[in-house]
Every structure is written in C-alpha cells, then in structure tokens.
Amino acid sequence: MTVLPEVNQLGFFEIRLESIGGLGANLAGKMLAEAGIVGAGVDGVSFSSYGSEKKGSPVKAHIRFCEFGTPIRDTSPIEHPHVIGIFHEALLASGAASGIRPGGMILVNSAHSAQRIIEQSDVRGCTVAVLDATRIAMEEKNKVNMAMLGGLFRLCGFLDPAFMKDVIAKSLGKKYPQAVEQAIRVFERGYAEIQTMESLAPAAEESAAAAAPESPFGYLNQPLGGVVVTPGSSLLKDLSISRSGMLPAFDPATCIHCAQCDTACPDLCFVWEEQPDKRGRMQMFLQGIDYQYCKGCLKCVEACPTDSLSRMLEEEGYAAANRVKQRFDFVEA
C-alpha cells in the first residue's frame, strides 16, 4: 500500500505545475495523475487552468493525491502545494513559487544552480531543485515536459518511474509512436540530472507566518477594479517570459532590408530607421530587434532569405545586451 509522505488538513498531497503554453504542463499534469492513481494505487484528481490556448500564455496544472477511500470534494486551485514544478525560470518573478509549504519542494527548469535560485527567489524552509529541462529537450529533440516529469518523479518518491514509462508509451504511442523512445530517454535524463539544495530555515518570527503562507496577489493588493495594467497592445508589453529557450540572432552585415522578417513577425519586434541609400534615396533600414516584444516564435528566421536571422539558444544577458529599443512617436526613450 502506497503511503503519501505528507498530507494537508483535508488529506491531500498537492502538486502545482506553473508553466506557459507550449511547454506541455497540461499533459504532464494528466500523466502525473495517472501514474499516481493507476500506478501507485492512491486516489486523486487532476485539472488545469489557462487563458487563451496559445504559446506563451500562462498555464497551471493542479494535482491532488490522497489515501485510497478519502472523499475528494475539493477541485479549487491549489494555493499551498507540497511540490511546485516551474517549467520556465522567468515565472519566478511573477510569484510562481508562492504558497509553498514549509518543508515543501520546488523544481525549476533552469541552467543555474539551486543556490542562485534560492538567492533570487528568496524561498525559505524548503528544498529547491533545478533541472536544465530545456537543454535536455533540445538535445534529445523532444519536449520540456518529459524532462520535468522525470525531475518530479525523483522528488516524489512514492511514484514509480517504471510505471511512468508505460504511461508515456500509452499516451504517445497511438499518435506519435516515433517519439516514444525519445520521450522515455528525456524522462530518464530528467530523473538522473536533477540537482537539489535545501534553503535556509526561516527565522522564528518568519515560521509563524510561513505556517499559513500567503499568495503575493489578492484582494488587498490587486489594481482597483481589476484593471489590466499591462495590456498586450501597449508599449509596456513584455513577452520575454514567453520564450521557451530560443530566440532570433541578427547579423546586420548580411541583411538586405527586405522586411520579410517584419511581415512574418506578429509582435512588433523589428526596429527600422529611414536613411539614404548609396544613391541618396531615402529607404528603410533594419536596425535590430527589440527583444522585449519577442516571444521566440522564430517565424522571422524561417522568412529571412539571406540567413541574417538565425535561431540560437537564449543565453543569459544576450537579449538585454543586443536589444534595440523601439522608437514610438510621442514616447520618451
């Protein structure tokens, strides 16, 4: 009989996955729940919440496990999970790690060390694990979610990784049989390559507050009337959190300023300036990319006829160092 490591006052062991559209958190939540309910013999429920079904939009997957026979009457979003899986490191800035229980576990898709994640996110009294799931997925030409599932199984010792391989084969076998072997290999690498570190225990006065952790957003600090302060059509828009590992690199030396990239781009990323050409005629010349608006869809790379735009694995600081800011009328730089 499987014994859950810990449960809350309602008898649930809770897992929350924080992600963006395109990384596969919704499917990962379903497969994780199946591995627990069918494979480990516990009861449970799984559901996801998301806005528009498109790449880059926020996604949350919620999984509750309980001892066999426990009534399941709670399908509300999980606020205080025992485990949080964060599929995109940038989500930490928007409170993805909020509500973690004291002694809980956080898994972050990141190339950085667990120590750095602890320092940046200021989490206390829990185990922080990191896994470079994006790199693994790209090397194996598969999905981030399979690597993250491997890491989550490593953290949740009551789940059987051998059974999960059967779930992967069953879930992908009918539609994508050619991807099964790769997915299992990515899962195994995620299980093996995870790195963990325990964060510092909170001070005595912090422990009392941590016993009932609060979300950073709520009715006391939300904008008046629920106003959307950063609408998607404004100059405040920042799509950098939507990039899932890749972005376009620009080589001005080979650019012919044909604007094929700008035609393909859905998000106003390319910056142009009117200048005289060799004959003195005024023409529009591409100056660079404003990476604030780039979500890494790479449509521009496919459209470029001269290979002036190429796909690259995003490196820390590259976008900020190579960003050319948009020049909007009536807006100060």
Side-chain angles (χ1 to χ4, degrees):
M1 178 179 177
T2 300
V3 178
L4 296 172
E6 183 183 358
V7 294
N8 60 16
Q9 65 274 19
L10 297 177
F12 295 121
F13 181 87
E14 297 182 326
I15 302 172
R16 187 176 77 222
L17 307 182
E18 299 270 355
S19 184
I20 58 174
L23 296 183
N26 181 34
L27 177 60
K30 294 177 181 178
M31 296 172 75
L32 187 63
E34 182 175 349
I37 296 169
V38 180
V42 297
D43 275 352
V45 63
S46 169
F47 57 95
S48 298
S49 60
Y50 39 83
S52 55
E53 294 188 47
K54 64 180 182 180
K55 181 177 180 181
S57 58
V59 175
K60 296 178 186 288
H62 308 272
I63 304 99
R64 287 188 170 96
F65 292 126
C66 56
E67 299 292 347
F68 188 76
T70 302
I72 302 174
R73 299 191 176 95
D74 187 2
T75 55
S76 62
I78 294 173
E79 296 291 339
H80 307 304
H82 299 90
V83 178
I84 299 178
I86 301 176
F87 283 47
H88 196 303
E89 182 183 357
L91 290 168
L92 285 166
S94 59
S98 66
I100 187 68
R101 290 180 172 275
M105 296 174 284
I106 301 173
L107 173 63
V108 184
N109 174 17
S110 174
H112 298 130
S113 66
Q115 178 62 42
R116 178 163 175 174
I117 297 298
I118 291 170
E119 293 170 355
Q120 288 183 338
S121 56
D122 195 31
V123 292
R124 298 278 183 138
C126 62
T127 298
V128 174
V130 294
L131 175 67
D132 195 352
T134 300
R135 177 183 57 82
I136 294 173
M138 289 182 174
E139 289 177 356
E140 301 290 350
K141 298 180 180 180
N142 203 263
K143 292 285 189 176
V144 166
N145 58 352
M146 292 297 109
M148 289 295 290
L149 277 172
L152 290 166
F153 266 69
R154 181 74 174 270
L155 294 179
C156 301
F158 64 93
L159 296 174
D160 182 5
F163 183 83
M164 186 62 199
K165 296 175 186 179
D166 293 335
V167 174
I168 293 173
K170 185 178 70 173
S171 299
L172 303 179
K174 291 183 179 179
K175 293 183 67 175
Y176 311 104
Q178 73 282 1
V180 171
E181 184 178 347
Q182 291 173 318
I184 292 176
R185 188 162 61 244
V186 170
F187 174 81
E188 291 174 339
R189 287 190 61 181
Y191 189 91
E193 296 180 25
I194 188 174
Q195 299 179 8
T196 64
M197 175 177 286
E198 291 189 12
S199 64
L200 296 173
E205 60 273 14
E206 294 177 335
S207 297
E214 295 294 333
S215 172
F217 305 111
Y219 74 97
L220 292 176
N221 57 2
Q222 67 179 343
L224 184 63
V227 174
V228 180
V229 295
T230 55
S233 59
S234 79
L235 61 95
L236 300 174
K237 177 177 64 173
D238 186 351
L239 295 180
S240 60
I241 195 173
S242 300
R243 293 196 289 270
S244 54
M246 303 295 289
L247 82 173
F250 176 53
D251 178 14
T254 58
C255 181
I256 60 174
H257 312 285
C258 65
Q260 293 288 347
C261 54
D262 206 13
T263 302
C265 177
D267 291 301
L268 199 68
C269 297
F270 293 92
V271 183
W272 298 83
E273 184 175 290
E274 191 174 23
Q275 298 174 354
D277 63 13
K278 295 179 180 179
R279 297 182 181 181
R281 298 174 301 182
M282 299 305 292
Q283 303 285 349
M284 298 301 291
F285 289 85
L286 181 59
Q287 304 301 302
I289 302 173
D290 192 336
Y291 288 106
Q292 174 179 325
Y293 305 99
C294 178
K295 62 187 177 187
C297 69
L298 302 180
K299 292 180 180 178
C300 57
V301 176
E302 297 173 6
C304 181
T306 64
D307 295 329
S308 298
L309 292 167
S310 58
R311 62 180 65 213
M312 66 169 286
L313 184 65
E314 183 171 4
E315 300 173 357
E316 184 179 10
Y318 178 88
N322 293 276
R323 177 192 176 195
V324 177
K325 292 185 178 181
Q326 280 286 4
R327 298 154 191 178
F328 297 113
D329 294 337
F330 312 114
V331 178
E332 295 183 2

